[in-house]
C-alpha cells in the first residue's frame, strides 16, 4: 500500500495553559508537557515531522466582523497548519477550519464552593419545612377557638390559647368539660400534642448532630434561576466558546443564563486559580475532564459539582482547509486513543495535581469539644424563657386581677 507523504515541518498553534500544553527547556532541549503537549510529541515521533509552536491563549472566538482569534484564527488564515487546545467542534468552527477525528469529549458542568453549615442560631426551625410550620400554627389556632367554645368552661380566648400551647409543651389542661364525645376529641388532641413534639425533638437532635448544609444550585435550571434572581453569578472560560454554546442550546433557561453571562462579561481564565474565584455566590462552568486537572480529586477537591450537564461536545485537532494528510493523521490519532495513551496522560496530570493539592493542604486537628457558639441557641432560648417567666411573675404580683386570663 502506498504511504502518502507527510510534511516534514508543521506550524502548530497551541493554547498555552498549565496541564494542557506547555513547553520547557531541559538540558538545552525543548520538552513538551501537558495532555496536548504529549499528544503533539507522540504525533511528531510517529509521523516524523518537526514543528514550530505558535503560542496563543484562547481556542478561538468568532467576531462580528467575520474574523477569528486564538488557535482557530491562526489556522483559519493559514499561519498555522494545525491547532491544539482541546478544541470543541462547532458549526462555525467547522466552516472556518477542518478537524481531525475526535480525541476527547467535553461534558460541561458547573462547580460551586462547597456549602458551609447553616447558622446554628436558627436551627430550631430546621426540623419542619415552611409549609409544615404554617399548618402547625394554623392547627393550634383552630384548636384554640374550638376548645374555647366546646371544651373549656368560661375561658377567655387568650386563656384557651395558653392552655392549648401548654399541652404541646407537656403541661396539663384544666377546666375541661367531661362528656364522652369531648373525651374522644380531647384524646385526639393529646395524641397530636404528643406526636408532633416527639417528631420535632427527634429531627432537631439529628440536625444538631449533623448540621444542615447551606443550599446551593445543583442543576443548571436552579443555577439559571439563581442568576436571574441576582443571587448568583456564573463565569465561563475565556479560552472556550461555552457562552456561545449556551446561547445556541435552544433550551430556554440555558439561553437566559448565556444572555446574562454575555451581558455582564462574566469570564475567567484557566490560568487563574479557581479556588480564588469561587465564593458563596459564584459558580464556574468547566469541562468534567478539567475539573480534576485544575482542582485535584477527592478528598482534596473542595468544590461541589452540578448533578447535570449543559451538554456534551467532542473535541479534536484543528487543521487548515485542504490539509494534505488528514487521513494519516487520523490513523495515528486513533491508535493513540484506542491504546489508552491519551487517557493515561490525563490520569498522570490529574495525579500530579492531586499530589500538589495534598502537599499544600495544612493539617488541622479536628475539633471535638463544644464551643460557646454551639451553645448560643440553647442559652438564648433559656434566657428568653426566664425573661418571660419573670415578667409573668411580676405581673401576677402587681396586677393580679388584670392578669386573670384563664376565666371570663
Amino acid at each position: 500500500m502506498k504511504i502518502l507523504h507527510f510534511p516534514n515541518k508543521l506550524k502548530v498553534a497551541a493554547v498555552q495553559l498549565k496541564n494542557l500544553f506547555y513547553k520547557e527547556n531541559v538540558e538545552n532541549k525543548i520538552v513538551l508537557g501537558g495532555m496536548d503537549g504529549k499528544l503533539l510529541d507522540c504525533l511528531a515521533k510517529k509521523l516524523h515531522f518537526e514543528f514550530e509552536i505558535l503560542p496563543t491563549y484562547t481556542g478561538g472566538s468568532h467576531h462580528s466582523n467575520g474574523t477569528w482569534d486564538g488557535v482557530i484564527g491562526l489556522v483559519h488564515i493559514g499561519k498555522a497548519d494545525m491547532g491544539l487546545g482541546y478544541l470543541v467542534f462547532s458549526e462555525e468552527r467547522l466552516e472556518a477550519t477542518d478537524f481531525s477525528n475526535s480525541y476527547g469529549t467535553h461534558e460541561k458542568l458547573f462547580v460551586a464552593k462547597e456549602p458551609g453549615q447553616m447558622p446554628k442560631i436558627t436551627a430550631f426551625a430546621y426540623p419542619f419545612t415552611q409549609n409544615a410550620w404554617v399548618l402547625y400554627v394554623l392547627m393550634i389556632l383552630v384548636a384554640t377557638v374550638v376548645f374555647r367554645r366546646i371544651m373549656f368552661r368560661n375561658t377567655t380566648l387568650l386563656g384557651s390559647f395558653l392552655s392549648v400551647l401548654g399541652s404541646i409543651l407537656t403541661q396539663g389542661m384544666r377546666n375541661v368539660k367531661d362528656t364522652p364525645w369531648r373525651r374522644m376529641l380531647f384524646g385526639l388532641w393529646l395524641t397530636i400534642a404528643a406526636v408532633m413534639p416527639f417528631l420535632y425533638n427527634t429531627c432537631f437532635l439529628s440536625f444538631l448532630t449533623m448540621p444542615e448544609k447551606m443550599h446551593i444550585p445543583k442543576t443548571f435550571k436552579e443555577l439559571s434561576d439563581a442568576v436571574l434572581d441576582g443571587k448568583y453569578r456564573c463565569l465561563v472560560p475565556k479560552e472556550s466558546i461555552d457562552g456561545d454554546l449556551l446561547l445556541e442550546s435552544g433550551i430556554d433557561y440555558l439561553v437566559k443564563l448565556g444572555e446574562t453571562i454575555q451581558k455582564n462579561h462574566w469570564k475567567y481564565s484557566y490560568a487563574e486559580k479557581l479556588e480564588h474565584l469561587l465564593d458563596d455566590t459564584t459558580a464556574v462552568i468547566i469541562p468534567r475532564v478539567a475539573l480534576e486537572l485544575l482542582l485535584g480529586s477527592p478528598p482534596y477537591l473542595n468544590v461541589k459539582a452540578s448533578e447535570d450537564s449543559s451538554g456534551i461536545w467532542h473535541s479534536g485537532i484543528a487543521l487548515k482547509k485542504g490539509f494534505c494528510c488528514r487521513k494519516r493523521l487520523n490513523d495515528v490519532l486513533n491508535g493513540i486513543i484506542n491504546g489508552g495513551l491519551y487517557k493515561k496522560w490525563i490520569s498522570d496530570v490529574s495525579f500530579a495535581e492531586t499530589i500538589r493539592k495534598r502537599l499544600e493542604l495544612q493539617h488541622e486537628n479536628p475539633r471535638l469539644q463544644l464551643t460557646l457558639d454551639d451553645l448560643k441557641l440553647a442559652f438564648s432560648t433559656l434566657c428568653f424563657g426566664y425573661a418571660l417567666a419573670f415578667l409573668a411573675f411580676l405581673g401576677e404580683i402587681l396586677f393580679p386581677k388584670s392578669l386573670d386570663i384563664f376565666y371570663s
Side-chain angles (χ1 to χ4, degrees):
M1 184 177 69
K2 182 178 180 181
I3 300 177
L4 296 177
H5 169 71
F6 200 89
N8 295 324
K9 187 171 183 179
L10 295 176
K11 293 183 177 181
V12 181
V15 179
Q16 303 287 295
L17 281 175
K18 177 187 175 183
N19 297 337
L20 181 62
F21 190 104
Y22 64 90
K23 59 180 181 179
E24 54 187 358
N25 195 325
V26 179
E27 298 180 353
N28 297 323
K29 183 179 179 181
I30 299 299
V31 177
L32 298 181
M35 303 180 305
D36 279 4
K38 293 180 181 295
L39 175 63
L40 177 60
D41 186 58
C42 186
L43 289 173
K45 291 177 179 178
K46 183 65 177 177
L47 294 169
H48 308 290
F49 68 87
E50 297 179 354
F51 51 82
E52 176 187 351
I53 303 296
L54 304 179
T56 184
Y57 296 96
T58 63
S61 299
H62 194 203
H63 300 292
S64 57
N65 60 2
T67 61
W68 288 83
D69 59 14
V71 171
I72 298 298
L74 292 173
V75 176
H76 176 60
I77 62 177
K79 284 189 176 181
D81 299 298
M82 67 169 59
L84 291 168
Y86 217 61
L87 303 171
V88 171
F89 297 163
S90 72
E91 187 175 349
E92 288 185 323
R93 284 181 171 181
L94 288 169
E95 292 177 356
T97 66
D98 289 334
F99 272 89
S100 69
N101 290 348
S102 172
Y103 67 87
T105 57
H106 284 260
E107 183 183 3
K108 300 294 184 178
L109 311 172
F110 72 84
V111 296
K113 187 178 179 180
E114 185 72 30
Q117 296 179 357
M118 296 183 71
K120 293 181 180 179
I121 194 65
T122 56
F124 67 90
Y126 297 164
F128 295 155
T129 63
Q130 183 177 356
N131 291 337
W133 278 116
V134 171
L135 291 175
Y136 196 22
V137 171
L138 289 177
M139 182 178 64
I140 293 173
L141 296 178
V142 170
T144 298
V145 175
V146 172
F147 276 37
R148 178 176 181 262
R149 289 184 174 273
I150 64 176
M151 292 292 295
F152 296 128
R153 297 188 183 96
N154 302 323
T155 304
T156 63
L157 189 62
L158 180 57
S160 177
F161 172 73
L162 292 178
S163 294
V164 170
L165 188 61
S167 67
I168 295 174
L169 302 175
T170 69
Q171 299 296 317
M173 298 179 71
R174 299 176 298 167
N175 196 31
V176 179
K177 296 177 183 179
D178 189 10
T179 61
W181 69 271
R182 286 188 175 92
R183 290 175 192 164
M184 294 179 59
L185 180 61
F186 188 53
L188 176 62
W189 172 253
L190 290 182
T191 302
I192 296 173
V195 170
M196 293 299 290
F198 172 76
L199 296 177
Y200 175 85
N201 291 333
T202 303
C203 294
F204 184 64
L205 290 175
S206 68
F207 275 108
L208 293 180
T209 304
M210 186 173 290
E212 182 75 356
K213 297 284 189 179
M214 296 288 289
H215 176 74
I216 62 172
K218 297 179 181 179
T219 64
F220 271 90
K221 178 66 169 62
E222 292 181 2
L223 176 63
S224 179
D225 293 340
V227 168
L228 293 177
D229 290 340
K231 299 178 181 178
Y232 255 78
R233 66 180 187 135
C234 181
L235 310 179
V236 296
K238 294 177 182 178
E239 295 86 356
S240 72
I241 54 172
D242 289 357
D244 296 333
L245 296 177
L246 291 174
L247 294 172
E248 298 169 2
S249 64
I251 302 174
D252 182 60
Y253 60 85
L254 291 180
V255 172
K256 290 180 180 179
L257 177 61
E259 290 173 348
T260 307
I261 292 172
Q262 186 182 60
K263 177 182 177 181
N264 293 280
H265 304 288
W266 286 337
K267 292 188 177 183
Y268 73 97
S269 172
Y270 285 136
E272 300 178 71
K273 285 196 172 183
L274 296 188
E275 300 94 322
H276 298 163
L277 297 175
L278 292 172
D279 55 35
D280 293 334
T281 58
T282 301
V284 298
I285 293 178
I286 186 172
R288 183 181 292 277
V289 68
L291 187 58
E292 294 185 6
L293 296 178
L294 298 178
L295 295 171
S297 58
Y300 313 104
L301 185 65
N302 57 351
V303 298
K304 193 74 173 178
S306 60
E307 296 178 354
D308 65 349
S309 63
S310 62
I312 298 177
W313 289 268
H314 290 274
S315 59
I317 301 173
L319 304 171
K320 69 179 181 181
K321 290 289 186 179
F323 184 72
C324 65
C325 308
R326 179 178 174 183
K327 184 179 183 304
R328 285 197 64 196
L329 177 66
N330 283 334
D331 290 341
V332 176
L333 185 61
N334 289 340
I336 292 173
I337 303 305
N338 295 333
L341 288 178
Y342 196 78
K343 187 175 181 180
K344 179 184 180 301
W345 296 331
I346 293 177
S347 299
D348 291 344
V349 174
S350 176
F351 178 75
E353 186 65 20
T354 299
I355 293 298
R356 187 182 68 82
K357 293 284 184 182
R358 181 175 181 178
L359 294 175
E360 292 177 351
L361 186 67
Q362 296 182 355
H363 176 71
E364 294 183 1
N365 293 322
R367 295 189 315 158
L368 300 178
Q369 69 275 17
L370 286 174
T371 64
L372 184 60
D373 186 61
D374 297 323
L375 301 174
K376 187 186 299 183
L377 175 62
F379 282 124
S380 300
T381 305
L382 182 63
C383 292
F384 180 72
Y386 281 154
L388 289 181
F390 182 71
L391 291 176
F393 173 71
L394 289 180
E396 288 180 354
I397 294 177
L398 299 176
F399 311 101
K401 293 184 179 181
S402 301
L403 294 178
D404 189 10
I405 58 176
F406 285 96
Y407 302 103
S408 57

